[in-house]
Amino acid sequence: AQTVTQSQPEMSVQEAETVTLSCTYDTSESNYYLFWYKQPPSRQMILVIRQEAYKQQNATENRFSVNFQKAAKSFSLKISDSQLGDTAMYFCALTTSGTYKYIFGTGTRLKVLA
Amino acid sequence: NAGVTQTPKFQVLKTGQSMTLQCAQDMNHNSMYWYRQDPGMGLRLIYYSASEGTTDKGEVPNGYNVSRLNKREFSLRLESAAPSQTSVYFCASSEGGASNEKLFFGSGTQLSVL
């Protein structure tokens, strides 16, 4: 069975600082994808960043980057230069090639403080 | 360029009433999903449809039924609503097995069962 664990229910960071959100996962598949989704108060789910397991290079999207540790099954999200608009719930998710099922963690609520 | 459209956005039901949540996508995606989001529980998969003509149970299927009406539409039915089904429901879609696999979400339905 596939699992995704986010052990930090809530975090806060000062504006312009850097914060890292943790995610661990478990799968027996070799071909899989990992994601971070953001859910602001508007409730809309927004894709932040995506990582393919077969790629060793960590994905980056502007101020967002990941630390993908395949052997440790760890997939953390780093937000640099935090902005007030980054305040949201962040979900880590996993899907494996061929299963079509996306499994989500329980989320981390991030608050950026002015 | 609507993406994933789900209706209604809000609904209040009495215990025992039935209703259908509608979802349609205009991206020619193969796979469609229904999730529920509850505080502290993340997003849990109710049902999914890997391709037109197929449906499968997710983590929490009890009390729900689905219909993949065609490639575009995937509905979720509550036959006899219970207070435990009070939740936010999300429909989502993906290409299903594509190399750039990712999940696109609708804007959610806030359902309250009294």
Side-chain angles (χ1 to χ4, degrees):
Chain A
Q2 299 166 173
T3 60
V4 176
T5 302
Q6 293 179 252
S7 58
Q8 305 155 313
E10 294 185 357
M11 297 186 73
S12 62
V13 62
Q14 289 294 134
E15 198 174 6
E17 297 293 308
T18 295
V19 63
T20 299
L21 281 58
S22 301
C23 173
T24 59
Y25 63 93
D26 192 24
T27 179
S28 57
E29 299 290 327
S30 59
N31 191 13
Y32 55 92
Y33 305 88
L34 293 160
F35 307 84
W36 280 98
Y37 279 86
K38 170 185 178 181
Q39 185 182 43
S42 66
R43 199 171 70 193
Q44 184 65 45
M45 295 287 288
I46 302 164
L47 177 64
V48 175
I49 201 163
R50 174 180 178 276
Q51 176 79 43
E52 295 154 346
Y54 65 86
K55 289 188 176 179
Q56 292 186 340
Q57 187 173 4
N58 288 327
T60 62
E61 289 286 344
N62 301 315
R63 298 182 294 107
F64 299 88
S65 61
V66 298
N67 184 3
F68 175 44
Q69 300 289 325
K70 192 171 184 177
K73 294 184 177 177
S74 171
F75 183 63
S76 60
L77 174 69
K78 186 171 84 170
I79 306 174
S80 303
D81 185 25
S82 296
Q83 300 176 0
L84 296 178
D86 296 332
T87 292
M89 182 75 87
Y90 287 82
F91 291 99
C92 180
L94 161 73
T95 190
T96 58
S97 179
T99 65
Y100 311 107
K101 290 169 64 172
Y102 285 70
I103 303 301
F104 285 79
T106 51
T108 296
R109 186 176 300 279
L110 176 67
K111 188 169 185 179
V112 180
L113 306 172
Chain B
N1 194 16
V4 179
T5 303
Q6 60 179 107
T7 56
K9 291 195 181 335
F10 301 94
Q11 184 70 49
V12 178
L13 293 177
K14 293 181 180 178
T15 297
Q17 288 185 317
S18 62
M19 79 160 295
T20 299
L21 279 65
Q22 307 286 354
C23 177
Q25 51 90 10
D26 62 2
M27 296 173 281
N28 200 35
H29 284 169
N30 291 311
S31 301
M32 297 186 73
Y33 310 79
W34 277 105
Y35 288 89
R36 61 177 287 172
Q37 181 180 11
D38 303 291
M41 305 289 285
L43 279 82
R44 293 182 292 169
L45 184 62
I46 304 171
Y47 272 93
Y48 68 105
S49 171
S51 60
E52 185 179 0
T54 70
T55 60
D56 285 287
K57 295 178 180 179
E59 300 173 68
V60 288
N62 291 343
Y64 306 95
N65 286 301
V66 291
S67 295
R68 184 76 183 264
L69 304 169
N70 47 56
K71 192 171 186 180
R72 290 187 62 248
E73 299 173 284
F74 188 42
S75 63
L76 177 72
R77 183 161 177 83
L78 286 69
E79 289 291 351
S80 179
S84 61
Q85 294 178 306
T86 293
S87 187
V88 177
Y89 291 84
F90 285 97
C91 177
S93 71
S94 72
E95 290 191 45
S99 59
N100 60 344
E101 183 67 26
K102 53 190 166 187
L103 206 56
F104 294 80
F105 284 87
S107 57
T109 298
Q110 173 72 61
L111 175 66
S112 296
V113 183
L114 307 178

